[in-house]
């Protein structure tokens, strides 16, 4: 029986096309994935914005559009809800604290010597310097110590940071103790901080800042305006600061 003869078909020079096709397919898939993760999920962004608005009583918390903030990754709904809930609880805690401070300082609030407000930073207690100090002095008076001890009692077990800021009017001061309003405002703020520390407020939560006459709240052209500018502001700093409209608390 005769054997079949096999013919050598020779080398296939077109096998590279298979590898090339695989490479093109992978490259296409890569760019599809890159495009997918770069597309702004506008729906999820609006859900996040609406949730923040609801947390602040229906006020929009974010005014920028997606075109202004640039591409963002999709935000999971559960993250949006948790953030909104945390903001709501924080605002409620600060509102209760502002109400308690207003009640504690009610006589001074009625006399216009103390203002308690809730703002974007937290809760601010603005106290006229005449309530706390003698003119040109930074030592707390006995009368003021009683009011500040009452404030410290409310802040003692509160977890928020407390910043005390001293302010003066534009009237120059120069004596052996205070070469300028910078020193006077800083030492007055420090005096309040020391009283808070002695009353049990944790030192790590406290800070003191002297602004001199740089941040007036009234005109320095009148005696009433200058009296308003001479003040100490105690701010209970929000743990989740967000822009909200200032809310007077009386």
């Amino acid at each position: 029986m005769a054997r079949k003869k096999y013919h050598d078909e020779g080398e296939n020079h077109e096998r590279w096309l298979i590898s090339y096709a695989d490479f093109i397919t992978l490259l296409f898939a890569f760019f599809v994935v890159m495009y997918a993760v770069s597309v702004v999920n506008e729906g999820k962004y609006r859900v996040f914005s609406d949730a923040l608005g609801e947390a602040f009583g229906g006020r929009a918390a974010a005014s920028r559009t997606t075109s202004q903030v640039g591409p963002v990754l999709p935000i999971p709904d559960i993250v949006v809800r948790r953030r909104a809930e945390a903001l709501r609880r924080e605002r409620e805690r600060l509102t209760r604290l502002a109400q308690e401070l207003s009640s504690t300082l009610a006589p001074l609030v009625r006399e216009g010597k103390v203002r308690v407000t809730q703002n974007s930073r937290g809760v601010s207690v603005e106290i006229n310097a005449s309530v706390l100090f003698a003119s040109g002095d930074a030592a707390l008076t006995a009368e003021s110590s009683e009011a500040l001890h009452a404030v410290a009692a409310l802040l003692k077990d509160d977890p928020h940071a407390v910043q005390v800021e001293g302010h003066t009017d534009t009237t120059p001061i120069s004596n052996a103790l205070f070469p300028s309003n910078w020193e006077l405002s800083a030492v007055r703020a420090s005096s309040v901080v020391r009283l808070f520390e002695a009353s049990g407020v944790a030192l790590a939560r406290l800070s003191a800042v002297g602004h001199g006459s740089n941040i007036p709240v009234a005109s320095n052209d009148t005696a009433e305006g200058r009296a308003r500018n001479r003040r100490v502001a105690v701010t209970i700093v929000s743990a989740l600061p967000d822009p909200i409209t200032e809310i007077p608390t009386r």
Side-chain angles (χ1 to χ4, degrees), residues 80-95:
V80 174
R81 290 195 297 270
R82 287 178 177 174
R83 175 67 176 176
E85 179 63 18
L87 290 171
R88 184 188 64 79
R89 290 196 301 268
E90 175 69 358
R91 191 183 184 194
E92 288 179 351
R93 282 193 294 266
L94 291 175
T95 298

Side-chain angles (χ1 to χ4, degrees), residues 14-190:
E14 297 182 354
R15 293 184 60 187
W16 65 271
L17 288 173
I18 298 175
S19 299
Y20 178 75
D22 290 341
F23 171 75
I24 293 298
T25 301
L26 291 173
L27 190 63
F28 175 75
F30 170 76
F31 281 110
V32 168
V33 172
M34 292 295 293
Y35 173 77
V37 300
S38 67
V39 173
V40 175
N41 192 319
E42 187 172 352
K44 290 290 181 65
Y45 183 84
R46 287 181 177 174
V47 170
F48 179 64
S49 177
D50 293 343
L52 292 180
E54 291 177 4
F56 293 127
R59 300 182 185 275
S63 59
R64 296 184 299 174
T65 63
T66 54
S67 61
Q68 291 173 311
V69 300
V72 296
L73 293 177
I75 303 173
D77 290 341
I78 189 171
V79 174
V80 174
R81 290 195 297 270
R82 287 178 177 174
R83 175 67 176 176
E85 179 63 18
L87 290 171
R88 184 188 64 79
R89 290 196 301 268
E90 175 69 358
R91 191 183 184 194
E92 288 179 351
R93 282 193 294 266
L94 291 175
T95 298
R96 287 194 297 269
L97 180 59
Q99 293 169 347
E100 292 172 352
L101 288 166
S102 294
S103 177
T104 298
L105 301 171
L108 294 173
V109 171
R110 286 194 295 269
E111 294 173 11
K113 296 179 179 179
V114 171
R115 295 177 71 249
V116 180
T117 56
Q118 185 175 349
N119 52 44
S120 60
R121 293 183 62 199
V123 175
S124 177
V125 182
E126 184 183 289
I127 309 171
N128 287 8
S130 60
V131 176
L132 305 175
F133 311 100
S135 178
D137 198 356
L140 291 168
T141 63
E143 180 183 1
S144 68
S145 296
E146 182 179 351
L148 289 175
H149 278 299
V151 172
L154 291 175
L155 301 180
K156 180 179 178 180
D157 298 322
D158 185 90
H160 296 89
V162 179
Q163 185 175 71
V164 181
E165 299 166 286
H167 302 269
T168 69
D169 60 20
T170 54
T171 304
I173 184 174
S174 181
N175 56 37
L177 293 176
F178 309 112
S180 71
N181 283 321
W182 285 110
E183 288 80 10
L184 177 61
S185 63
V187 176
R188 283 181 168 180
S190 299

